[in-house]
Amino acid sequence: MDRISAAALLLPETFRGAGGDDITLRLSMIWSQMKAPLIVPLLRISVHICLVMSIMLFIERLYMGIVIVLVRIFGRKPDVRYKYEPIKEDAELGNFVYPMVLVQIPMFNEREVYKLSIGAACCLTWPSDRLIIQVLDDSTDTVIKGMVEKECQRWASKGINIKYEIRDNRSGYKAGALKEGLKRNYAKDCDYVAILDADFQPESDFLFRSIPFLHHNPELALVQARWKFVNSNECLMTRMQEMSLDYHFTVEQEVGSSTYAFFGFNGTAGIWRIAAINEAGGWKDRTTVEDMDLAVRASLKGWKFVYLGDLQVKNELPSTFKAYRYQQHRWSCGPANLFRKMAMEIIRNNKVSLWKKVYVIYSFFLVRKIVAHIITFIFYCVVLPTTVLVPEVEVPVWGCVYIPCIITVLNSYGTPRSIHLMAYWILFENVMSLHRTKATFVGLFETNRCNEWVVTEKLGNALKAKGAGKVPKKPRFRFGERFHTLELAVGCYLVFCGLYDIFFGKNHFYLYLFLQATAFFILGFGYVGTIVPQS
């Protein structure tokens, strides 16, 4: 009771003073009556569940680390596992020895970057009569539509076989556009399709380095290239993104490619065998991750994928917090929703091995797409701070210190140059896990925002252009755009738990709690990422 009475000192003044002592006493009595029979057991169960999930994530990270080491030691490179040689020219067949390739560039109001992707695609080295560039413009801004069409006409006047395609509506969003593009008569003559989002800029030899894998290995359906971020040094937020995505490509994609020849298609910078797309049922818009959906369905048909880590395609990271939040919602909600829709289909499939099904369901979906998000927020930002208020529940040191530290060290493999930023990365990822966890549950339970699709904003050279002109006006924000109540609320809770730990606790978690609260406040007040001035 003394601890509860002391804790009451942390309550606001309005609860104390004249008549306030009665309120404080009542609150203390309610807490004491609920604590033993309800709070303690629930928190203890939560701790045990979180520890189990932590072990699952730890084993998964350790497994991937071991696989990567073995791949490096034994030199299991793609050109060793699969036949690879340049396509040889034939005097009789001429250019017909080269397969027909379609390059699809889906767009939606891409004012700042449309020239980059179109220009890069039109500069690809490949026989001109065996290559078709297809720009799929779903823009709703008529001015931007005119600009994109004019750019396509400019390249067409240079002899490039480029097609400008539009639709009456945005049904199916990106998946719908890609699906409609493949229905064109000229597309039906193509063997492979390369997909490039509007900000992606492949090198000119992109096709010559990737197509031979598909051409000489009929069991392969997909060649995925690695992303190279042109604006990773723009701000601290883009550096954090680079660290997360570098681990994804360097470890997760490489492990999937080297072991089960399966990984999630990244939606861009990849080349598909069109026959595999058709056999898998084509593009579907039932989730916000149409790329992953197609990859899973093609894999269940027995097709294999290969990841080329040394084939890099330049692209842009979202540099505004608003754009990044929308992107992370889509990337977290979509996989969870797809898991809900496809779990039984994967289990019942008889074309792939049992171990591959276990890998897809457990490692790919459950641990990486669901557990990883939930454990990061629930354990480190809710359960662990709450144990400060309930000293009867203890968290073992191995669960709250050793395992997280080892996982962090393993994550640093992807971006060695940023290892000095690991502390910032941990705090940043914990904050973002709030949105990822929320999005994961939205996907699992198919609530209102399940199929929300917001195209990630790309800035291109917009900031440089604005910076070269007159000094812009002071940025104006709506309250909901600059101040984020969820982050601020969690930050306040962590501060409360930290203060309680200093005065009455015994866990000594307050240093972590204050640092994590600071991160929540920084993101909650919108002081992260690039702030785009409005002229």
Side-chain angles (χ1 to χ4, degrees), residues 102 104 134 136 176-184 186-187:
L102 175 69
Q104 290 186 313
Q134 184 185 67
L136 304 167
L178 295 173
K179 185 176 181 179
E180 286 297 317
L182 290 179
K183 290 181 180 179
R184 298 295 185 264
Y186 58 82

Side-chain angles (χ1 to χ4, degrees), residues 66-127:
I66 293 173
V67 172
I68 285 298
V69 171
L70 293 177
V71 168
R72 296 290 186 269
I73 292 175
F74 294 103
R76 293 268 300 167
K77 294 183 178 180
D79 56 356
V80 174
R81 301 196 308 273
Y82 299 100
K83 181 181 179 181
Y84 176 82
E85 60 182 30
I87 299 175
K88 298 178 181 178
E89 295 185 2
D90 190 301
E92 294 183 2
L93 295 176
N95 286 342
F96 286 99
V97 72
Y98 293 93
M100 280 291 294
V101 178
L102 175 69
V103 179
Q104 290 186 313
I105 309 175
M107 291 191 172
F108 177 74
N109 294 338
E110 308 286 359
R111 177 189 295 270
E112 309 298 344
V113 296
Y114 71 94
K115 287 186 178 181
L116 300 178
S117 57
I118 294 176
C122 291
C123 290
L124 288 172
T125 304
W126 197 257

Side-chain angles (χ1 to χ4, degrees), residues 53 325 328-329 331-333 336 369-382 429-445 447 486 520:
M53 296 172 76
R325 285 180 68 188
Q328 292 304 296
H329 174 86
W331 285 7
S332 302
C333 176
K369 309 301 181 185
I370 297 176
V371 168
H373 301 325
I374 294 176
I375 187 64
T376 305
F377 177 68
I378 299 297
F379 188 35
Y380 301 114
C381 301
V382 178
E429 285 293 293
N430 286 350
V431 177
M432 291 309 303
S433 69
L434 163 64
H435 300 286
R436 294 175 185 139
T437 300
K438 184 176 69 171
T440 298
F441 285 120
V442 167
L444 285 174
F445 296 105
T447 58
L486 282 177
F520 271 100

